[in-house]
Amino acid sequence: MSNPRQPLGPPQGAGGSGLILGIETSCDETAAAVVERGGRALSNVVASQMEIHAPYGGVVPELASREHLRNIVPVVRAALLQAGVSFADLSAVAVTSGPGLAGALLVGVSYAKSLAFALKRPLIAVNHLEGHIHAVLLQRREMDCETAPGDARRQASPEIPSGSGPALALVVSGGHTHLYTARRSQGVWTYGNVGRTLDDAAGEAFDKVAKLLGLGYPGGPWIDALAPHGDPTAVSFSSGRIKQKAHRPGWSAEGARFLFSFSGIKTAALRYVQVHDLYPSIEQRRRALAMLSGARPADALPLCDNRTLGLIASFQRTIIDDLRQKTFAAAETFGASCLLVSGGVAANRELRVRFTGEAVARGLPIAFPSPALSTDNAAMIAAAAWPKLLARDFAALDLTAEASMALGEPMERRAGSE
Ligand code: KG4
Ligand code: ZN
């Protein structure tokens, strides 16, 4: 084997063929995609393990690793086939190296290392969270390819970053709720972590409350579909606990403004269920849905009474309002030129409507990925790898998975405050 610190076979010219194979196995989706020059997905294959984890109401790490092992080879083959390219056409192999489940990440990293070595192509390590941010950029570039310069869809979507300030990115998923500033200088992206959750991620709260109410897994799409049928003012959830937790000694007031906490609202929902004795109806609903094969959110609607629908609508509204207020406050504080919202929860319809409404009112350009690019996928990993390929930012063959990998410099303890 060559020196493990040396990058592998650099492509000729600016990125060679420009075709990057992306591989993503950080959680419960085995995904592979071929993306051309960071701007056009030729394929985007996702093998979901949803049905395997659904009976447990959450991802079981050992099962996830086993399924990735089973799926990785056919998924990569399908991605190449769908793109109409061969291994020899690739300029580089990109892989998520963290954060995520250690065993799950290792499957993708080991496979990508072997492939890059065998093909004599560069290996590019991508942070999963950076991938989510680049899903928005990929969406924007794809639209540029598909539309004429005067097209209204193009005008409604911002250049990124669109002015002198950074882009402000909210990455909100089952594992993360993070706010980043994102800057591009001479083709290289740098990030500052300006906000994060102190406990549960927003998507985790959606999943846990859906499980509590006897709905399906993952819970986000179920709550998204049921919330419009309930009164969002029916239950008043306090966000006081968030503020209290954030004001810890050593945390600046400025940094604490952009911290999230979603474990309190989950407990409040549980208390509401106990106080109003919703357990019998929950059990009835759980049993009725279990009897249907492939139950969908629409099947749950006739099984929910008004009190339950009010709880669901209020829960969703409270979380979205909290995300919205802190995201726009951060955008103002950091002089953001545009807003990028990504991650599984960014597929939420009410979130999109309320964020877009406020962005329009403030004159701040906002962009979301398509729902398919919002949840975990490998096209976003290949897109994030493109600027790294141009900058020859290659990983060595001793690359390892890093379960708690961070993105960007943490900015919560800002100098000069408190
Ligand atoms: O980005 P993702 O696929 O995986 C992680 O990196 O976590 O996000 C999955 C999360 C789950 O918690 C799921 O319930 C949530 O995204 N989610 C949604 C919606 N679709 C997926 N949450 C709210 N509304 C949705 N429509
Ligand atoms: Zn994700």
Side-chain angles (χ1 to χ4, degrees):
M1 191 184 281
S2 59
N3 179 351
R5 301 240 151 250
Q6 290 297 316
L8 296 164
Q12 299 300 308
S17 69
L19 296 175
I20 299 181
L21 170 69
I23 295 173
E24 153 67 40
T25 63
S26 68
C27 191
D28 59 345
E29 326 271 12
T30 316
V34 178
V35 176
E36 188 181 20
R37 309 185 90 76
R40 197 161 73 96
L42 304 185
S43 63
N44 191 12
V45 178
V46 180
S48 173
Q49 305 176 3
M50 219 175 265
E51 284 182 8
I52 287 158
H53 301 290
Y56 306 94
V59 179
V60 182
E62 291 78 9
L63 294 183
S65 312
R66 196 188 68 190
E67 285 306 302
H68 286 311
L69 271 174
R70 214 198 294 269
N71 290 335
I72 186 86
V73 172
V75 163
V76 167
R77 278 205 192 122
L80 291 174
L81 194 72
Q82 216 178 79
V85 303
S86 69
F87 280 127
D89 298 322
L90 299 174
S91 282
V93 178
V95 65
T96 304
S97 56
L101 301 169
L105 285 164
L106 258 179
V107 177
V109 167
S110 312
Y111 180 84
K113 283 201 299 193
S114 321
L115 190 61
F117 180 72
L119 298 176
K120 297 192 174 57
R121 293 292 188 277
L123 175 68
I124 301 174
V126 175
N127 183 306
H128 180 80
L129 298 163
E130 184 175 19
H132 273 302
I133 294 172
H134 280 258
V136 193
L137 306 177
L138 171 62
Q139 180 81 34
R140 178 70 179 81
R141 289 188 208 116
E142 289 207 310
M143 197 179 56
D144 276 354
C145 295
E146 288 162 11
T147 57
D151 193 298
R153 280 171 294 167
R154 237 194 233 200
Q155 260 123 47
S157 183
E159 287 297 329
I160 302 166
S162 62
S164 54
L168 196 278
L170 169 67
V171 181
V172 60
S173 70
H176 313 279
T177 305
H178 282 89
L179 282 168
Y180 296 101
T181 53
R183 290 184 169 80
R184 182 173 48 189
S185 172
Q186 294 176 336
V188 176
W189 285 88
T190 51
Y191 307 92
N193 181 203
V194 300
R196 63 182 176 84
T197 178
L198 292 170
D199 41 56
D200 291 355
E204 202 177 342
F206 272 91
D207 294 342
K208 287 177 178 167
V209 167
K211 186 178 177 189
L212 168 74
L213 297 177
L215 303 171
Y217 171 84
W222 291 72
I223 290 181
D224 185 351
L226 294 170
H229 301 278
D231 173 7
T233 63
V235 184
S236 143
F237 291 111
S238 153
S239 59
R241 216 169 283 140
I242 296 171
K243 290 180 193 131
Q244 241 177 31
K245 267 196 178 174
H247 283 112
R248 296 170 165 181
W251 291 72
S252 73
E254 179 73 345
R257 283 176 63 203
F258 311 124
L259 293 175
F260 300 96
S261 167
F262 297 110
S263 70
I265 190 168
K266 186 189 64 189
T267 313
L270 173 64
R271 205 168 307 125
Y272 187 89
V273 164
Q274 289 166 341
V275 167
H276 295 88
D277 194 22
L278 301 184
Y279 285 117
S281 67
I282 289 174
E283 210 30 58
Q284 222 175 0
R285 182 160 53 244
R286 201 189 308 278
R287 262 189 264 119
L289 290 173
M291 280 163 65
L292 300 173
S293 82
R296 293 182 334 183
D299 300 318
L301 184 56
L303 304 169
C304 294
D305 57 13
N306 278 344
R307 199 188 283 279
T308 303
L309 290 171
L311 173 62
I312 288 170
S314 306
F315 166 80
Q316 176 167 291
R317 175 65 56 89
T318 306
I319 291 207
I320 288 171
D321 274 350
D322 188 51
L323 290 169
R324 184 178 53 81
Q325 279 157 14
K326 287 174 183 158
T327 302
F328 281 91
E332 201 172 303
T333 299
F334 294 98
S337 60
C338 65
L339 213 55
L340 315 178
V341 188
S342 59
V345 181
N348 185 277
R349 288 170 300 171
E350 186 181 351
L351 181 145
R352 287 185 180 223
V353 169
R354 293 179 77 77
F355 269 65
T356 303
E358 178 144 358
V360 168
R362 288 173 179 250
L364 188 63
I366 187 165
F368 301 90
S370 65
L373 286 175
S374 294
T375 48
D376 286 352
N377 66 88
M380 68 185 195
I381 302 303
W386 172 243
K388 296 182 197 292
L389 178 66
L390 293 179
R392 303 175 64 81
D393 179 5
F394 301 146
L397 277 183
D398 58 0
L399 176 71
T400 54
E402 213 182 302
S404 52
M405 181 185 276
L407 175 68
E409 289 297 311
M411 292 168 72
E412 61 213 12
R413 295 164 199 238
R414 287 154 59 86
S417 43
E418 277 192 354

